[in-house]
Amino acid sequence: MTITPPALSVFETLESEVRSYCRSWPAVFDRAKGAHMFDEDGHVYLDFFAGAGALNYGHNNPVLKRALIDYLERDGVTHGLDMGTTAKRAFLESFQNTVLRPRDLPYKVMFPGPTGTNAVEAALKLARKVKGRESIVSFTNAFHGMSLGSLAVTGNAFKRAGAGIPLVHGTPMPFDHYLDGQVPDFLWFERLLEDQGSGLNRPAAVIVETVQGEGGINVARPEWLRGLADLCERRDMLLIVDDIQMGCGRTGAFFSFEEAGITPDIVTLSKSISGYGLPMSLTLFKPELDVWEPGEHNGTFRGNNPAFVTSAAALEAYWADGQMEKQTLLRGEQVEQTLRAICAEHESLGARYRGRGLVWGLEFDDVTRASAVSSRAFELGLLVETSGPQSEVVKLLPPLTISADELDEGLRTLARAVRETA
């Protein structure tokens, strides 16, 4: 496929220099359906980006679209703050019956605002309020959002620098595999907690991603997560799992921490919780932590009722019978087989892969190669982004609803992109 970069005059002259994805993919997109996007010139792209994980059920999913159109056509409430509405009630009932009760999770549900960083900010505030302490422990290469509290527990130096002020009350610890297994898990963390001279203020909570998406597809082992949960319990720290990108079925189960058999104190969800790409986020927490005063944390757009409608439809369509989890794991095996073959073919490049479910990363010894592969994939009609502190990992994030044939097509295109940039 030959793609001629469009005249992006209005984007270049009017839109801020902060824009990023459009620089990697110089096209003007017009339509999207399922696992495909179409630009205004008629080029077709297979989407292994899925709205950075906000479109687990694909673009314009017909089941969710029908529910949304019906709701809008009957003049359903669009903006509701935290008022009681029929749409919110339907979502809460569906979430309780389809997600929480079958997993024996006792969580209260908070609507903190429209985005993932809203959910993280609420989680950090709540942890500090409950424990009466300021310090939060996070992990190397973590990403939790772009607002100041979230940046304070984010590892990426480039993103942190954008804050323009000191980011305080956050302490990083080594993520799983960070020290290549040379040091027992949590040895440093435990020592700092024990030593009165360590300088570590007693933490209120620990925040962790089970798979670090933006950090380079770093996958925590289940035993490491169980060890972390045990450490938090012994040391009177709350455990916050940021499931914003890896939740809603991305790793197979609805919550990414299910495989480890742990029950976090607080969980953050966003991205695909609405199912349709509409802004929505949740902060979930154990009932005994619900110490908020009415209105103590609020936000104008926390009551996005169209998102409640599509979210309820997604839960009912894809999570009532357990088939989505099975399909995701099956598709994940398909991805892993192809990545294994790519790495075997390009052993001289130091190619290696890692992932879970339908989130995978492909890395090379040369940290610049991932960007070259991503660029060539775009030219061939495949959208893949990069991740990691140096954009050194090709990140695969296809819709969970992608067909086996579509997935195979995209993987063959990826293999070609790797081959043609080697």
Side-chain angles (χ1 to χ4, degrees):
M1 176 169 60
T2 302
I3 298 170
T4 303
L8 301 176
S9 58
V10 70
F11 304 115
E12 293 170 344
T13 61
L14 187 60
E15 191 179 1
S16 166
E17 292 298 318
V18 78
R19 66 192 187 279
S20 60
Y21 290 116
C22 59
R23 299 179 190 274
S24 301
W25 302 324
V28 177
F29 296 100
D30 179 53
R31 296 184 301 113
K33 179 70 174 177
H36 291 91
M37 297 190 74
F38 307 84
D39 71 18
E40 63 181 355
D41 295 323
H43 298 119
V44 184
Y45 304 83
L46 194 53
D47 186 4
F48 274 27
F49 174 63
L55 296 166
N56 280 3
Y57 312 105
H59 295 272
N60 287 301
N61 182 289
V63 175
L64 313 189
K65 181 166 66 174
R66 184 72 264 160
L68 178 60
I69 290 173
D70 289 347
Y71 183 76
L72 295 176
E73 285 187 338
R74 72 170 184 82
D75 294 328
V77 173
T78 298
H79 181 274
L81 293 139
D82 69 354
M83 293 182 285
T85 65
T86 55
K88 186 203 283 192
R89 181 176 60 199
F91 164 72
L92 285 170
E93 290 175 346
S94 182
F95 191 69
Q96 183 178 49
N97 294 331
T98 307
V99 176
L100 297 181
R101 279 181 178 160
R103 293 161 179 81
D104 197 26
L105 294 172
Y107 296 134
K108 298 289 288 293
V109 178
M110 176 183 178
F111 300 99
T115 72
T117 201
N118 292 124
V120 170
E121 295 284 356
L124 300 180
K125 285 173 64 174
L126 181 60
R128 288 170 170 141
K129 180 178 175 67
V130 168
K131 293 300 183 183
R133 308 175 211 139
E134 297 175 350
S135 178
I136 304 289
V137 167
S138 57
F139 291 94
T140 50
N141 290 311
F143 178 78
H144 296 290
M146 298 298 285
S147 50
L148 293 181
S150 299
L151 278 177
V153 291
T154 286
N156 186 285
F158 174 73
K159 292 181 172 63
R160 289 175 63 90
I165 61 171
L167 297 171
V168 297
H169 310 308
T171 302
M173 292 291 168
F175 191 70
D176 195 14
H177 303 298
Y178 187 75
L179 299 174
D180 296 324
Q182 299 178 43
V183 177
D185 294 341
F186 311 113
L187 178 66
W188 174 242
F189 196 174
E190 290 264 24
R191 180 61 177 149
L192 291 180
L193 291 169
E194 291 170 356
D195 185 1
Q196 294 300 306
S198 70
L200 175 65
N201 294 329
R202 190 179 178 196
V206 175
I207 185 167
V208 67
E209 303 153 276
T210 67
V211 180
Q212 294 181 326
E214 299 304 310
I217 318 301
N218 305 312
V219 182
R221 293 166 295 144
E223 56 267 33
W224 187 86
L225 292 169
R226 287 192 288 271
L228 178 61
D230 176 69
L231 175 60
C232 288
E233 185 175 6
R234 288 188 288 105
R235 297 290 183 173
D236 188 32
M237 302 178 294
L238 298 179
L239 177 59
I240 305 169
V241 168
D242 181 340
D243 236 3
I244 288 166
Q245 189 167 85
M246 297 304 153
C248 302
R250 176 54 58 180
T251 64
F254 187 86
F255 294 107
S256 70
F257 55 81
E258 291 182 52
E259 181 188 32
I262 62 173
T263 303
D265 299 292
I266 304 175
V267 179
T268 60
L269 286 177
S270 187
K271 290 193 181 282
S272 275
I273 187 60
S274 82
Y276 204 73
L278 299 176
M280 178 178 174
S281 72
L282 306 176
T283 305
L284 313 176
F285 40 83
K286 294 179 178 178
E288 61 269 24
L289 304 181
D290 194 6
V291 297
W292 294 113
E293 296 291 336
E296 190 174 7
H297 184 98
N298 56 28
T300 303
F301 294 101
R302 65 195 186 278
N304 186 358
N305 280 252
F308 297 157
V309 170
T310 54
S311 182
L315 294 176
E316 292 164 9
Y318 295 104
W319 292 99
D321 59 5
Q323 293 305 305
M324 175 57 72
E325 178 176 353
K326 294 177 182 178
Q327 176 176 297
T328 298
L329 295 175
L330 190 64
R331 299 282 189 269
E333 292 175 3
Q334 186 178 347
V335 175
E336 185 173 13
Q337 288 174 4
T338 299
L339 293 182
R340 185 184 299 117
I342 290 174
C343 290
E345 180 182 349
H346 300 282
E347 188 176 355
S348 63
L349 301 178
R352 52 199 174 274
Y353 67 92
R354 52 188 176 266
R356 278 179 60 195
L358 272 177
V359 53
W360 292 86
L362 179 62
E363 188 176 11
F364 307 90
D365 286 343
D366 179 357
V367 297
T368 67
R369 190 169 301 281
S371 293
V373 170
S374 177
S375 295
R376 182 57 182 149
F378 171 74
E379 294 170 352
L380 296 171
L382 176 68
L383 301 180
V384 289
E385 68 167 330
T386 59
S387 70
Q390 300 179 81
S391 298
E392 73 276 19
V393 178
V394 179
K395 181 180 180 183
L396 309 183
L397 210 69
L400 306 185
T401 51
I402 194 168
S403 70
D405 288 344
E406 290 169 332
L407 186 58
D408 183 63
E409 177 190 347
L411 292 171
R412 282 188 278 107
T413 302
L414 174 67
R416 178 181 170 186
V418 174
R419 197 173 299 117
E420 293 181 358
T421 55

